[in-house]
Amino acid sequence: MSEVKHHDTSGLDEFGYTQTLDRSIGKFASFAAGVSYISILTGVFQLFYFGFATAGPAYAWSWPMVFVGQLMVALCFAELAGRYPVAGSVYNWAKRLSSATSSWMAGWLLLISSIVTVGAVALALQIPLPQIWDGFQIIGDGTGPYDFAVNGVLLATILITLTTLVNAFGVKLTARINSIGVFVELIAAVLLVLALIFHMVNGPEVLFDVKDFGQGQPLGFFGAFLIASMASGYVMYGFDTASSLGEETKDPKRTAPKAIIRAVTASFVLGGGLLFFGILAAPDLSDPKLGSADGGLQHIVLSVLGGPFGKAFLVCIVVAVIVCTLAIQAAAIRMMFAMARDNNLPFSRQLSKVHPVRKTPTIASITTGVLAIVPLIVSISQPAIFTILSSIGIVLIYMAYLLVTVPMLRNRFLKKWPLVNDGTEVGFSMGKWGFIVNLIAVLWGAAMTINLIWPRQEIYNSVPPFEWYLQCGGVIFVGFVVVAGLLLYRLRIRHRTGVLAEHSAALHGFAEADEVDQTKTIQHSQ
């Protein structure tokens, strides 16, 4: 009886897996995983300058817009996590809801997105570190055309090396560092919001001032607003990480859904406070530094708080960037491990290996770290590296999410979801609201995917040299990832897919049965 209850709680029996990872993550650590992936201090500070430069103070209204859309997606994911809290959640959820090809593509797109995003987030160190101490500007003095990008790549490479080592060492260390970092981030965010409120110098009317933004755009200010929404869209995703760590979480069917919803809600409240009150506290909204990569919200914080207080908050941003990179890489590792144990990746047997002592997929950890550094090196001479990698990462993850929410909606329409009561534990359900929430999630995801992948110069080719292939870089890269993924799966992977023996619950069950039979035979002979 206890064995059945264990499998029902973990959800692994639904997929035919045996428990190989270390189940040691508690409620706060699960919540922290989602919060650190979203990482309000990292995301809001990293791309504030882009949103402000594109649409001015009114870009802040993209924050609640993105929250409403992403909350609908998060609710769908919470319902799935309440039944299937397993590693590589998006991949495994799509497997339950749609075809083998569709589920493989969901995992493939999210894996590539996570690897790209690891590098994009690690680049964020370039924003606060040189403002804390100019010695962190190791390459050049920051005035050269490539100083900013090259130095950012150097700092990012150092950070990714460190997070790779931590992730490879074990989930307990990862969760401990992550929880401490999130605690620091949440406290810093609350204090910073309060400080900005205390130093407000602008009235709320500035949030509706569109000025001359949108000139030259076909849709006027709305066109500029849609471009600027990338800055908010970049922040509020990755909440599925709480479920992707489900195989390492205690009581995951109850813990993971709550962690997903709390993570996206807490991030909305605190991130919105930073964004709105930061604009209201800005001493001079016409200051060009607010719209430059080396200024932005950090410039406001330093201007308002000054000296040691301002730099103390910048240190907290550095902590947030570190734990955010750590969490995103942890999610990428779980996705790689989840697909590999199904023999659904090249070198699957190696990538799915779990260290016998540390209970973590060490080879997958090292592989994600190496792959995350590659796009940084390739793009090292591109000054707009931040926005390019960020945009590509968002588009891929939105597409991966659609490969879950679309089949989920179809199954609802066909009365195949939610599943009838089959006696298994269900941790969360939307009940009668499920269909409308799911529909909004699909419409939102499709609209934002089109918006973000659209070949705009402002996102993909914002600085010289202006070339058509750079402006279409998002479409070209995403198209390449999709086509390459489909060819890889259809021509090679699908012919050998299947749970590897060392991860198969059925084979482990037979092994255990054999041991019991042998024991009985020995006892009988005695």
Side-chain angles (χ1 to χ4, degrees):
M1 289 292 292
S2 61
E3 184 69 12
V4 174
K5 184 177 180 182
H6 171 76
H7 282 304
D8 180 60
T9 300
S10 69
L12 289 178
D13 58 326
E14 298 273 356
F15 297 91
Y17 303 137
T18 188
Q19 181 74 41
T20 57
L21 301 177
D22 183 15
R23 193 177 291 281
S24 59
I25 295 177
K27 292 181 179 179
F28 182 79
S30 178
F31 162 75
V35 169
S36 58
Y37 194 123
I38 297 173
S39 189
I40 45 177
L41 287 186
T42 302
V44 173
F45 277 80
Q46 186 174 3
L47 285 180
F48 174 92
Y49 81 92
F50 176 81
F52 194 91
T54 306
Y59 114 83
W61 295 108
S62 64
W63 187 259
M65 178 190 76
V66 169
F67 167 69
V68 171
Q70 291 298 79
L71 179 61
M72 300 300 104
V73 179
L75 288 169
C76 291
F77 284 6
E79 193 169 68
L80 287 161
R83 185 176 281 271
Y84 309 125
V86 293
S89 292
V90 167
Y91 159 71
N92 275 311
W93 294 338
K95 192 194 303 181
R96 273 287 171 266
L97 296 168
S98 58
S99 67
T101 301
S102 180
S103 64
W104 191 88
M105 283 303 298
W108 171 254
L109 292 175
L110 198 142
L111 177 60
I112 300 298
S113 168
S114 297
I115 291 172
V116 170
T117 306
V118 167
V121 169
L123 281 171
L125 281 183
Q126 175 60 25
I127 298 177
L129 280 180
Q131 296 189 62
I132 295 172
W133 177 50
D134 57 13
F136 285 115
Q137 184 63 45
I138 303 168
I139 307 298
D141 58 4
T143 60
Y146 302 114
D147 288 1
F148 194 74
V150 176
N151 197 73
V153 169
L154 175 60
L155 296 177
T157 300
I158 295 172
L159 174 56
I160 293 171
T161 302
L162 293 175
T163 57
T164 298
L165 292 174
V166 171
N167 271 306
F169 192 82
V171 72
K172 287 183 179 179
L173 178 61
T174 301
R176 190 173 296 117
I177 294 174
N178 195 53
S179 296
I180 294 172
V182 167
F183 182 77
V184 171
E185 181 175 3
L186 293 176
I187 295 298
V190 170
L191 293 176
L192 187 52
V193 168
L194 294 174
L196 292 172
I197 292 174
F198 183 75
H199 288 87
M200 285 193 303
V201 293
N202 302 301
E205 67 277 359
V206 302
L207 297 170
F208 299 92
D209 185 4
V210 300
K211 295 183 179 178
D212 298 325
F213 292 100
Q215 287 188 351
Q217 287 290 335
L219 299 177
F221 174 76
F222 184 64
F225 180 81
L226 289 177
I227 297 173
S229 67
M230 187 199 79
S232 296
Y234 174 69
V235 185
M236 276 186 277
Y237 68 86
F239 34 78
D240 54 291
T241 304
S243 179
S244 205
L245 292 172
E247 291 181 34
E248 296 149 280
T249 303
K250 301 171 185 175
D251 192 15
K253 286 190 176 182
R254 296 181 185 276
T255 301
K258 292 177 182 177
I260 288 172
I261 297 171
R262 288 170 179 169
V264 72
T265 304
S267 299
F268 164 70
V269 173
L270 292 176
L274 291 172
L275 182 56
F276 280 90
F277 293 118
I279 291 172
L280 296 180
D284 181 10
L285 289 173
S286 62
D287 187 344
K289 287 282 285 185
L290 299 186
S292 64
D294 60 345
L297 192 54
Q298 292 89 330
H299 180 65
I300 295 176
V301 171
L302 288 174
S303 300
V304 169
L305 301 181
F309 289 107
K311 291 194 174 183
F313 280 114
L314 291 185
V315 170
C316 292
I317 295 172
V318 172
V319 172
V321 172
I322 293 172
V323 296
C324 182
T325 306
L326 185 67
I328 296 173
Q329 189 176 6
I333 292 165
R334 271 67 191 175
M335 179 58 75
M336 183 174 285
F337 165 77
M339 296 181 72
R341 71 178 167 186
D342 281 349
N343 206 20
N344 264 339
L345 287 176
F347 310 106
S348 285
R349 195 166 297 280
Q350 289 74 27
L351 293 175
S352 66
K353 280 185 178 178
V354 176
H355 193 279
V357 177
R358 295 191 287 270
K359 299 292 184 182
T360 191
T362 306
I363 297 176
S365 302
I366 297 170
T367 303
T368 56
V370 173
L371 292 177
I373 295 172
V374 172
L376 299 182
I377 297 173
V378 171
S379 307
I380 198 168
S381 62
Q382 175 55 258
I385 186 173
F386 275 16
T387 54
I388 293 171
L389 290 182
S390 302
S391 303
I392 290 172
I394 301 170
V395 171
L396 290 174
I397 207 164
Y398 270 67
M399 291 173 66
Y401 284 2
L402 280 172
L403 288 173
V404 172
T405 55
V406 170
M408 189 181 192
L409 181 64
R410 182 196 62 213
N411 285 1
R412 285 186 192 279
F413 185 76
L414 297 175
K415 306 298 183 184
K416 294 181 179 180
W417 184 272
L419 300 178
V420 294
N421 185 13
D422 55 3
T424 60
E425 178 187 354
V426 178
F428 178 81
S429 174
M430 291 187 283
K432 63 181 181 180
W433 293 100
F435 186 86
I436 187 65
V437 169
N438 201 162
L439 177 61
I440 296 172
V442 169
L443 295 175
W444 160 255
M448 279 299 284
T449 299
I450 294 171
N451 175 42
L452 292 169
I453 202 173
W454 204 263
R456 298 185 181 97
Q457 190 177 78
E458 294 88 345
I459 294 179
Y460 296 104
N461 194 192
S462 59
V463 294
F466 298 113
E467 303 287 351
W468 70 268
Y469 55 85
L470 292 176
Q471 185 171 326
C472 296
V475 176
I476 295 171
F477 183 82
V478 171
F480 172 78
V481 169
V482 170
V483 172
L486 282 173
L487 291 175
L488 176 64
Y489 180 74
R490 298 297 298 179
L491 298 179
R492 183 182 177 189
I493 300 247
R494 72 187 178 101
H495 300 294
R496 65 181 196 188
T497 187
V499 181
L500 295 175
E502 55 267 37
H503 298 284
S504 173
L507 293 179
H508 277 256
F510 287 137
E512 290 172 4
D514 288 342
E515 289 178 8
V516 171
D517 289 341
Q518 289 172 9
T519 302
K520 288 181 177 178
T521 301
I522 292 171
Q523 291 174 342
H524 180 72
S525 64
Q526 290 175 341

